[in-house]
Amino acid sequence: MYKLRHLCLSQQCSFMAMTSLRLMRVMTQRASFSSSAVKWEGGVSMVQGASRGIGLEFVKQLLEKEKGHVIATCRNPSGATSLLHLKSKFAERLSILQLDVTNESTIEESAKSISEKYGSLNLLINASGILSIPQVLQPETTLRKVEKSSLLLAYEVNAVGPILVIKHMWPLLKDGGGLGTERDVAVVANLSARVGSIGDNRLGGWHSYRASKSALNQLTKNISVEFARRKDPITCILLHPGTVDTDLSRPFQRNVPEDKLFTTEFSVQKLLSIIHNAKSHDNGKFFAWDGREIPW
Ligand SMILES: NC(=O)c1ccc[n+]([C@@H]2O[C@H](COP(=O)([O-])OP(=O)(O)OC[C@H]3O[C@@H](n4cnc5c(N)ncnc54)[C@H](OP(=O)(O)O)[C@@H]3O)[C@@H](O)[C@H]2O)c1
């Protein structure tokens, strides 16, 4: 009888010990979660495709005008001289990681390294994109010039890549959420283009680029629906930066009026204001640089 009671008591004790151990584990996880939110004043932002153009300017303005930490990713960090220059000025607040959107293992590695160093993300900007590559990809002016390889390459870089980045950063964004200030949600901002709009397509042409951006739009909208259904504190938006003076637009700027060709400084300033004002009800919307919505 004594033995039986003793056995029951010791089982109770070990059950209680296990329960309190579990409770302690949960509390420790919460503590480390909230400490990471407090630790990174101004939040943690990731800019994917940050070696040149609009992505590089996002990194610059986030560092120069704001307080948070920035993770800049690019295909070839050792050759990204402008990013390295920023690193020498903002050594503590800027991390540079290697990421090629066509190689999923580099995305996974980046997510792992961000998780270890920061534990969460408050903003993800997907800025990478291709329109033309000499001898490889040219925006098609007629169906006759459409090649399977061009369609697939544009689709891989412009649509598939950014979505895989969101897939791997999702847990970090969920943990990051908003900044606790005017922004109540983490933001995913995908750089799209007005030419990706089907409703707004009056000129035709540029089959690969247009279709890849339309695919990016649909995938982003789809993810926004899933995040909302799961009540994740993340808002996904699509941004058209205007026609911006970068390597991407340079070969096609001839017919663009001077006042319609933006500097990266101007465009990114406008886009950052849309990002910082984004609320949960903006989830799944497609905005132009001036804050106006673009039809699908
Ligand atoms: N400029 C415009 O007028 C305009 C208009 C509408 C939309 N957009 C969109 O805005 C975004 C930025 O364009 P941008 O004008 O800044 O272009 P950009 O100056 O040509 O820069 C493109 C960026 O994408 C990166 N990239 C290309 N392939 C990549 C890959 N496989 N993995 C990772 N990164 C890759 C490039 O990195 P590397 O240095 O390694 O090549 C570079 O950092 C693009 O999505 C573009 O479609 C631009």
Side-chain angles (χ1 to χ4, degrees):
M1 186 64 187
Y2 167 79
K3 266 193 188 156
L4 193 67
R5 250 178 69 195
H6 181 73
L7 192 72
C8 289
L9 271 173
S10 64
Q11 274 179 349
Q12 261 179 12
C13 283
S14 63
F15 172 75
M16 277 162 65
M18 271 165 63
T19 310
S20 42
L21 202 70
R22 259 188 228 128
L23 203 69
M24 270 166 65
R25 252 189 237 137
V26 171
M27 282 167 68
T28 324
Q29 276 168 3
R30 291 240 171 96
S32 61
F33 164 72
S34 59
S35 68
S36 79
V38 171
K39 199 160 133 197
W40 310 110
E41 196 198 352
V44 183
S45 305
M46 168 175 174
V47 183
Q48 185 280 116
S51 59
R52 301 181 273 129
I54 296 171
L56 174 66
E57 183 62 27
F58 267 115
V59 176
K60 198 162 172 268
Q61 291 195 22
L62 284 167
L63 289 168
E64 288 176 353
K65 297 185 179 172
E66 301 184 21
K67 288 187 183 157
H69 287 253
V70 181
I71 300 140
T73 71
C74 61
R75 288 194 287 187
N76 176 19
S78 59
T81 44
S82 305
L83 264 187
L84 294 173
H85 176 67
L86 282 174
K87 178 72 184 166
S88 67
K89 271 172 75 185
F90 298 95
E92 291 295 312
R93 289 172 52 219
L94 175 63
S95 302
I96 303 175
L97 299 175
Q98 197 270 333
L99 190 158
D100 181 330
V101 293
T102 64
N103 181 347
E104 192 170 357
S105 66
T106 66
I107 305 175
E108 279 181 280
E109 277 303 309
S110 295
K112 195 164 158 250
S113 135
I114 297 168
S115 171
E116 283 165 7
K117 182 161 180 189
Y118 299 98
S120 63
L121 273 178
N122 307 96
L123 170 63
L124 163 62
I125 298 170
N126 274 310
S128 59
I130 50 168
L131 169 60
S132 68
I133 301 173
Q135 328 302 334
V136 177
L137 174 69
Q138 278 308 311
E140 311 88 345
T141 47
T142 157
L143 176 60
R144 263 181 243 109
K145 293 193 174 159
V146 169
E147 301 280 348
K148 181 177 171 184
S149 59
S150 311
L151 283 164
L152 292 180
L153 179 60
Y155 189 74
E156 184 181 24
V157 176
N158 295 344
V160 179
I163 297 318
L164 293 179
V165 175
I166 302 171
K167 174 180 141 188
H168 290 287
M169 302 304 153
W170 182 14
L172 294 164
L173 290 158
K174 256 198 311 196
D175 280 351
L179 292 173
T181 54
E182 70 278 9
R183 218 178 69 206
D184 59 344
V185 280
V187 174
V188 172
N190 284 341
L191 267 288
S192 183
R194 190 182 287 277
V195 296
S197 163
I198 295 173
D200 192 56
N201 184 356
R202 287 177 215 112
L203 290 175
W206 290 20
H207 299 274
S208 301
Y209 185 70
R210 268 185 200 278
S212 68
K213 290 293 187 183
S214 306
L216 173 70
N217 291 357
Q218 175 67 294
L219 287 162
T220 308
K221 173 77 190 180
N222 232 25
I223 289 169
S224 77
V225 172
E226 179 169 350
F227 286 174
R229 204 183 314 119
R230 292 176 186 276
K231 298 198 170 26
D232 288 346
I234 310 170
T235 280
C236 297
I237 54 175
L238 290 146
L239 297 173
H240 166 61
T243 304
V244 187
D245 185 16
T246 64
D247 295 340
L248 181 139
S249 67
R250 214 149 282 143
F252 314 98
Q253 287 175 4
R254 214 175 12 174
N255 297 325
V256 182
E258 211 175 302
D259 62 333
K260 294 266 162 54
L261 183 62
F262 300 154
T263 60
T264 52
E265 291 82 354
F266 174 81
S267 173
V268 166
Q269 196 185 320
K270 293 284 184 186
L271 299 180
L272 271 177
S273 141
I274 297 174
I275 288 170
H276 288 323
N277 286 311
K279 303 277 186 298
S280 35
H281 61 251
D282 293 317
N283 194 25
K285 291 187 180 167
F286 181 15
F287 293 107
W289 59 274
D290 57 3
R292 277 193 263 182
E293 272 189 69
I294 301 179
W296 297 110

